Amino acid sequence: AQSVAQPEDQVNVAEGNPLTVKCTYSVSGNPYLFWYVQYPNRGLQFLLKYITGDNLVKGSYGFEAEFNKSQTSFHLKKPSALVSDSALYFCAVRDGTNAGKSTFGDGTTLTVKP
Amino acid sequence: GAVVSQHPSWVICKSGTSVKIECRSLDFQATTMFWYRQFPKQSLMLMATSNEGSKATYEQGVEKDKFLINHASLTLSTLTVTSAHPEDSSFYICSAARSQWGTEAFFGQGTRLTVV
């Protein structure tokens, strides 16, 4: 079985400060890892993914994430937060050795204050 | 590229009626489509996985006779909520992948269903 944990329900940062949204995962095979953002009453927008290669993955809107195999983590980061980054963020994992579904974390609400 | 469109964006229906939600991949062929349900301030719960031309695979606890899924073409999957009740009110999201083995699935914008 695969699982994802987002330990923080809420993250608050001031505009211009760096932000981190945490994610840890568990999967038996090779992890495919994803970050999505969701705005109110909207679907999910893809931010970035890790499949293989460099552990540091750069994505949309200045976001990046670092894959850490030993810690089974895939934290989302941004050097300088914007108020418009305020949204709900989901981490997801898939077992890359098998076809099929992704498992999503419970989500983290990011609030960036001006 | 890789645009997925859901229709309608929101719908209100009376208890006992059925509602159909469409999920279309606009610029690619989607062998596999996923249907999720999301309650307010909660994560996405996978309801079912459908592969074009075959029966959907439902997750445990999801009533297949209540949530009918059809994936008759490579660009269209439909979810029909039959005999809807207020507890079926939720946000329904689809995603589409080029194949089961694809590394990425693309999400629709979601459908807000309210049953009154």
Side-chain angles (χ1 to χ4, degrees):
Chain A
Q2 57 196 35
S3 65
V4 175
Q6 291 182 242
E8 301 155 316
D9 291 337
Q10 181 100 25
V11 170
N12 298 314
V13 297
E15 187 174 31
N17 283 0
L19 69 87
T20 299
V21 183
K22 295 179 180 177
C23 171
T24 58
Y25 67 91
S26 174
V27 67
S28 55
N30 295 326
Y32 287 2
L33 295 154
F34 306 85
W35 275 103
Y36 297 90
V37 60
Q38 185 181 34
Y39 295 96
N41 290 310
R42 301 295 299 274
L44 272 66
Q45 294 180 30
F46 170 78
L47 282 178
L48 51 79
K49 65 181 177 183
Y50 171 83
I51 304 299
T52 186
D54 287 342
N55 290 342
L56 184 63
V57 178
K58 293 187 182 297
S60 306
Y61 313 118
F63 284 93
E64 58 188 30
E66 186 165 13
F67 171 64
N68 187 317
K69 188 174 182 178
S70 62
Q71 297 184 6
T72 61
S73 66
F74 190 58
H75 301 330
L76 181 70
K77 299 182 179 184
K78 187 173 182 180
S80 178
L82 300 173
V83 173
S84 57
D85 292 331
S86 299
L88 182 57
Y89 290 81
F90 289 103
C91 180
V93 68
R94 249 191 65 196
D95 185 339
T97 56
N98 294 296
K101 60 188 181 185
S102 296
T103 298
F104 286 80
D106 289 339
T108 299
T109 299
L110 172 67
T111 302
V112 181
K113 297 184 178 180
Chain B
V3 178
V4 175
S5 176
Q6 253 181 269
H7 179 80
S9 297
W10 59 271
V11 58
I12 301 173
C13 70
K14 292 184 178 180
S15 288
T17 62
S18 296
V19 174
K20 180 183 286 188
I21 302 170
E22 293 186 345
C23 180
R24 293 182 184 273
S25 56
L26 298 185
D27 52 2
F28 69 101
Q29 293 186 326
T31 304
T32 304
M33 287 189 174
F34 304 89
W35 285 96
Y36 296 86
R37 183 173 180 176
Q38 184 182 30
F39 292 101
K41 298 185 179 180
Q42 293 191 26
S43 188
L44 281 71
M45 300 301 296
L46 181 66
M47 299 173 66
T49 303
S50 73
N51 291 299
E52 185 266 338
S54 61
K55 289 184 178 180
T57 301
Y58 288 81
E59 295 298 303
Q60 191 173 10
V62 178
E63 299 175 62
K64 61 181 180 181
D65 294 331
K66 180 166 187 62
F67 298 100
L68 301 178
I69 292 172
N70 183 280
H71 192 169
S73 79
L74 285 171
T75 58
L76 174 64
S77 176
T78 60
L79 167 66
T80 302
V81 183
T82 62
S83 187
H85 288 95
E87 58 264 31
D88 298 326
S89 299
S90 191
F91 195 57
Y92 293 87
I93 304 176
C94 74
S95 70
R98 290 184 172 89
S99 74
Q100 284 186 351
W101 297 91
T103 58
E104 187 176 341
F106 304 94
F107 285 81
Q109 70 270 36
T111 298
R112 170 73 60 195
L113 170 63
T114 302
V115 185
V116 297

